[in-house]
Amino acid sequence: MPRIVLFLDLDYFFAQVEEVENPELRGKPLCVCVFSGRTSDSGVVSSANYVARRFGVKAGMPIKAAKKLLPEESVILPVRLEHYATVSRQIMENLKKFNTPLRVESIDEAVMDITQAVGGDYIEAEKFAKKVKEIIRANFGLTCSVGVGPNRVLAKMAADYSKPDGLTVVKPEKVEEFLRDLPVKNLPGIGAKTERLLAEHQIKTIGDLSRQSLEKLEELFGPKKAHYLYLASRGIYDEVIEERPPPKQLSKIVTLKRNTREVEEVMETLAAATSEAYSRLASSKFFASKIGLIAITTRLETITRQADIRLGATLDEVLRSLRLLLTKLLETDEKLMLRRVGVRFSGLKPVSGQTSLNIFSEG
Ligand code: DCP
Ligand code: CA
Ligand code: CA
């Protein structure tokens, strides 16, 4: 039976959780932000509701920039990652009850292989998707966007297609039509850099991309990415949907806006990366016992510094540890200039008590 995949993405997740718990926020522009420290508005926007988005506010934007765009009555709240992670885990537990192969992809996304559950039938698949949305609405008061299609890439794109509160079903015979006129950046895995490179070759839509030969794509991107783009642009990149093995460590490295050794400037970028890694960690079933700072210098040396953290440490505690590690590192060498920075959570331990298996030993 050909595969049928369902992809679920919770709408403006962090901000929506705040709205649900505080209904008077509804209708006002709302941003949930990671505050990076020193000044009262240094940090970045993590999640913005759709009212705030109408003013041009986006996730990843500095709080200062968002404030300039937003009207007086807007609400700006600090992230409560531990809380969103708890809500996320409860939602994922609800999805597991459908008894299909399921993979949690992030704090607000999951993918399910519903082929068997719907007997390979797209009418049934649509009913299934409606049921999933109803359950999340009934149990959590949250809307989500769901996509259904013949593989994970298509299901994800279908979920993105009509946000918020969307449901898009792309049957196999409609795949080509669905993909043809979408901009290449809508294809998962195509970031700003790939988009620019493709534009230089007049490749703007996924239809354009699907007309390229494998050889041409290999010249531009190397074999691995070419293989993906070749199949995905034709709607036939297929993946088995299964649970991921538990992580051993979790990290995120980002490039600074410019080379610097200013603690505040580094922390601004590092806070955003840390919050992303932290939310991935929080939505897994693990606590970290160590936090690592990764610093890549302008001479392309990689330096790491590590500290112990409390199991279940809050994002604020994690950021304080990182700030300390960073300050100490910069004090050791006054010529040190940083180009990229990152964070690594390690020494992962299961959230619910001890396991008998000692596979999570640190190292
Ligand atoms: N997130 C973040 N920083 C970013 C992007 C996202 O902290 N730069 C967090 C906050 C989001 C969550 O991850 O609530 C999910 O990310 P999405 O990109 O799915 O964004 P939203 O759920 O907020 O919005 P959408 O309705 O577009 O799905
Ligand atoms: Ca998402
Ligand atoms: Ca989302």
Side-chain angles (χ1 to χ4, degrees):
M1 221 184 288
R3 203 190 300 283
I4 304 185
V5 178
L6 181 153
F7 194 99
L8 178 144
D9 185 329
L10 296 155
D11 298 324
Y12 63 105
F13 181 47
F14 298 176
Q16 199 185 177
V17 170
E18 297 294 347
E19 276 184 6
V20 166
E21 293 175 21
N22 206 345
E24 65 265 33
L25 295 174
R26 274 195 201 281
K28 291 182 190 168
L30 170 64
C31 295
V32 172
C33 299
V34 183
F35 291 92
S36 62
R38 197 95 16 108
T39 71
S40 65
D41 58 1
S42 56
V44 295
V45 175
S46 202
S47 174
N49 71 357
Y50 282 78
V51 188
R53 289 183 204 191
R54 286 210 291 274
F55 294 93
V57 174
K58 281 193 201 131
M61 180 180 273
I63 298 169
K64 285 188 193 98
K67 279 188 172 169
K68 278 188 197 137
L69 294 169
L70 289 171
E72 199 71 23
E73 74 272 17
S74 305
V75 179
I76 293 186
L77 297 174
V79 282
R80 297 189 291 149
L81 279 173
E82 304 76 13
H83 180 61
Y84 314 138
T86 306
V87 175
S88 168
R89 272 198 297 274
Q90 288 166 351
I91 293 171
M92 301 309 173
E93 290 307 320
N94 270 241
L95 297 182
K96 280 179 195 152
K97 292 193 185 131
F98 286 98
N99 264 318
T100 71
L102 173 139
R103 184 162 76 213
V104 175
E105 298 230 324
S106 73
I107 197 163
D108 81 327
E109 289 168 11
V111 57
M112 299 159 84
D113 183 331
I114 60 171
T115 318
Q116 299 304 326
V118 303
D121 182 282
Y122 271 83
I123 310 271
E124 288 303 314
E126 180 160 356
K127 286 188 198 154
F128 190 102
K130 283 187 177 146
K131 207 178 292 166
V132 169
K133 282 169 65 84
E134 270 161 31
I135 281 181
I136 293 176
R137 167 90 77 168
N139 292 349
F140 303 94
L142 293 167
T143 65
C144 60
S145 295
V146 172
V148 174
N151 56 57
R152 179 191 163 279
V153 172
L154 272 162
K156 184 173 170 62
M157 293 176 71
D160 287 340
Y161 187 74
S162 62
K163 278 186 177 191
D165 202 15
L167 170 55
T168 305
V169 178
V170 183
K171 293 183 197 153
E173 62 268 28
K174 294 281 179 190
V175 166
E176 202 199 322
E177 185 187 326
F178 176 74
L179 292 177
R180 199 162 48 208
D181 299 323
L182 290 176
V184 287
K185 69 167 192 298
N186 287 25
L187 196 68
I190 297 194
K193 213 170 124 190
T194 307
E195 189 190 3
R196 270 198 305 276
L197 189 53
L198 288 170
E200 283 168 22
H201 292 80
Q202 275 37 270
I203 302 167
K204 301 249 164 66
T205 64
I206 297 177
D208 295 340
L209 186 57
S210 74
R211 283 186 290 275
Q212 309 305 312
S213 67
L214 186 58
E215 291 71 29
K216 166 107 185 250
L217 294 174
E218 280 175 347
E219 266 168 46
L220 293 173
F221 301 104
K224 209 171 151 202
K225 186 154 181 178
H227 173 80
Y228 169 75
L229 293 176
Y230 184 84
L231 295 176
S233 65
R234 287 165 175 73
I236 52 176
Y237 187 84
D238 197 21
E239 291 154 273
V240 176
I241 311 300
E242 56 194 359
E243 214 177 316
R244 275 214 186 91
K248 294 212 170 62
Q249 58 164 51
L250 223 151
S251 56
K252 171 90 185 166
I253 300 178
V254 285
T255 303
L256 293 160
K257 291 198 189 86
R258 53 171 194 160
N259 298 339
T260 181
R261 53 175 285 116
E262 285 282 320
V263 174
E264 289 316 311
E265 206 175 341
V266 175
M267 281 310 293
E268 187 115 340
T269 302
L270 190 57
T274 304
S275 117
E276 198 207 298
Y278 185 98
S279 60
R280 268 196 283 146
L281 175 70
S283 59
S284 75
K285 297 181 191 72
F286 298 91
F287 283 143
S289 59
K290 290 182 191 301
I291 179 76
L293 168 74
I294 304 166
I296 298 160
T297 67
T298 45
R299 287 150 58 193
L300 299 182
E301 295 162 318
T302 301
I303 307 171
T304 59
R305 289 287 184 275
Q306 189 162 284
D308 292 329
I309 46 168
R310 187 173 70 79
L311 287 185
T314 62
L315 178 63
D316 274 347
E317 288 173 313
V318 170
L319 288 173
R320 274 202 292 279
S321 287
L322 285 171
R323 180 185 288 271
L324 204 64
L325 291 171
L326 176 67
T327 313
K328 278 198 207 147
L329 171 67
L330 291 168
E331 278 167 5
T332 61
D333 178 355
E334 61 187 26
K335 289 208 196 65
L336 210 60
M337 281 293 274
L338 303 184
R339 186 176 137 73
R340 310 184 72 206
V341 284
V343 55
R344 177 165 62 218
F345 292 101
S346 59
L348 302 190
K349 305 208 185 334
V351 167
S352 48
Q354 261 66 45
T355 54
S356 48
L357 293 167
N358 197 17
I359 51 170
F360 305 108
S361 58
E362 284 126 55

